[in-house]
mmCIF file of all heavy atoms in Angstrom:
data_model
loop_
_atom_site.group_PDB
_atom_site.id
_atom_site.type_symbol
_atom_site.label_atom_id
_atom_site.label_comp_id
_atom_site.label_asym_id
_atom_site.label_seq_id
_atom_site.Cartn_x
_atom_site.Cartn_y
_atom_site.Cartn_z
ATOM 1 N N GLN A 279 -45.843 -4.699 14.696
ATOM 2 C CA GLN A 279 -44.609 -5.326 15.141
ATOM 3 C C GLN A 279 -44.860 -6.794 15.522
ATOM 4 O O GLN A 279 -45.929 -7.132 15.954
ATOM 5 C CB GLN A 279 -43.987 -4.577 16.305
ATOM 6 C CG GLN A 279 -43.599 -3.149 15.978
ATOM 7 C CD GLN A 279 -42.679 -2.542 17.026
ATOM 8 O OE1 GLN A 279 -42.152 -3.237 17.892
ATOM 9 N NE2 GLN A 279 -42.508 -1.216 16.932
ATOM 10 N N ILE A 280 -43.806 -7.589 15.271
ATOM 11 C CA ILE A 280 -43.906 -9.036 15.637
ATOM 12 C C ILE A 280 -42.601 -9.474 16.312
ATOM 13 O O ILE A 280 -41.533 -9.140 15.795
ATOM 14 C CB ILE A 280 -44.179 -9.896 14.391
ATOM 15 C CG1 ILE A 280 -44.330 -11.381 14.793
ATOM 16 C CG2 ILE A 280 -43.171 -9.705 13.325
ATOM 17 C CD1 ILE A 280 -44.821 -12.318 13.702
ATOM 18 N N ASP A 281 -42.743 -10.147 17.398
ATOM 19 C CA ASP A 281 -41.573 -10.742 18.093
ATOM 20 C C ASP A 281 -41.426 -12.182 17.534
ATOM 21 O O ASP A 281 -42.019 -13.105 18.047
ATOM 22 C CB ASP A 281 -41.799 -10.717 19.611
ATOM 23 C CG ASP A 281 -40.515 -11.182 20.371
ATOM 24 O OD1 ASP A 281 -39.725 -11.889 19.783
ATOM 25 O OD2 ASP A 281 -40.437 -10.819 21.532
ATOM 26 N N LEU A 282 -40.578 -12.298 16.535
ATOM 27 C CA LEU A 282 -40.524 -13.603 15.870
ATOM 28 C C LEU A 282 -39.956 -14.702 16.683
ATOM 29 O O LEU A 282 -40.371 -15.839 16.661
ATOM 30 C CB LEU A 282 -39.674 -13.407 14.576
ATOM 31 C CG LEU A 282 -39.844 -14.458 13.472
ATOM 32 C CD1 LEU A 282 -41.330 -14.594 13.122
ATOM 33 C CD2 LEU A 282 -39.069 -14.025 12.218
ATOM 34 N N GLU A 283 -38.993 -14.377 17.527
ATOM 35 C CA GLU A 283 -38.419 -15.337 18.415
ATOM 36 C C GLU A 283 -39.444 -15.924 19.317
ATOM 37 O O GLU A 283 -39.566 -17.137 19.558
ATOM 38 C CB GLU A 283 -37.221 -14.823 19.246
ATOM 39 C CG GLU A 283 -35.943 -14.674 18.418
ATOM 40 C CD GLU A 283 -34.739 -14.389 19.252
ATOM 41 O OE1 GLU A 283 -34.882 -13.461 20.177
ATOM 42 O OE2 GLU A 283 -33.713 -14.981 19.096
ATOM 43 N N THR A 284 -40.269 -15.026 19.924
ATOM 44 C CA THR A 284 -41.338 -15.494 20.850
ATOM 45 C C THR A 284 -42.332 -16.351 20.082
ATOM 46 O O THR A 284 -42.783 -17.393 20.619
ATOM 47 C CB THR A 284 -42.060 -14.261 21.449
ATOM 48 O OG1 THR A 284 -41.114 -13.483 22.255
ATOM 49 C CG2 THR A 284 -43.210 -14.662 22.306
ATOM 50 N N GLU A 285 -42.688 -15.973 18.856
ATOM 51 C CA GLU A 285 -43.610 -16.778 18.076
ATOM 52 C C GLU A 285 -43.034 -18.120 17.778
ATOM 53 O O GLU A 285 -43.784 -19.102 17.751
ATOM 54 C CB GLU A 285 -43.966 -16.046 16.749
ATOM 55 C CG GLU A 285 -44.702 -14.689 16.977
ATOM 56 C CD GLU A 285 -46.068 -14.903 17.563
ATOM 57 O OE1 GLU A 285 -46.682 -15.937 17.374
ATOM 58 O OE2 GLU A 285 -46.536 -13.970 18.304
ATOM 59 N N LEU A 286 -41.767 -18.239 17.415
ATOM 60 C CA LEU A 286 -41.169 -19.531 17.152
ATOM 61 C C LEU A 286 -41.122 -20.400 18.413
ATOM 62 O O LEU A 286 -41.378 -21.645 18.323
ATOM 63 C CB LEU A 286 -39.742 -19.337 16.609
ATOM 64 C CG LEU A 286 -39.650 -18.760 15.184
ATOM 65 C CD1 LEU A 286 -38.185 -18.452 14.855
ATOM 66 C CD2 LEU A 286 -40.280 -19.676 14.147
ATOM 67 N N SER A 383 -42.480 -4.595 11.538
ATOM 68 C CA SER A 383 -41.116 -4.608 12.015
ATOM 69 C C SER A 383 -40.999 -5.615 13.132
ATOM 70 O O SER A 383 -41.929 -6.056 13.734
ATOM 71 C CB SER A 383 -40.592 -3.227 12.478
ATOM 72 O OG SER A 383 -41.077 -2.969 13.788
ATOM 73 N N LEU A 384 -39.708 -5.991 13.411
ATOM 74 C CA LEU A 384 -39.468 -6.726 14.637
ATOM 75 C C LEU A 384 -39.517 -5.740 15.848
ATOM 76 O O LEU A 384 -39.618 -4.489 15.589
ATOM 77 C CB LEU A 384 -38.061 -7.311 14.539
ATOM 78 C CG LEU A 384 -37.809 -8.330 13.404
ATOM 79 C CD1 LEU A 384 -36.410 -8.782 13.316
ATOM 80 C CD2 LEU A 384 -38.766 -9.522 13.571
ATOM 81 N N PRO A 385 -39.525 -6.188 17.053
ATOM 82 C CA PRO A 385 -39.696 -5.292 18.197
ATOM 83 C C PRO A 385 -38.583 -4.178 18.177
ATOM 84 O O PRO A 385 -37.407 -4.420 18.156
ATOM 85 C CB PRO A 385 -39.512 -6.199 19.396
ATOM 86 C CG PRO A 385 -39.901 -7.553 18.932
ATOM 87 C CD PRO A 385 -39.448 -7.600 17.536
#
Side-chain angles (χ1 to χ4, degrees):
Q279 296 194 14
I280 181 171
D281 187 335
L282 201 52
E283 283 191 316
T284 297
E285 295 296 331
L286 290 172
S383 82
L384 299 175

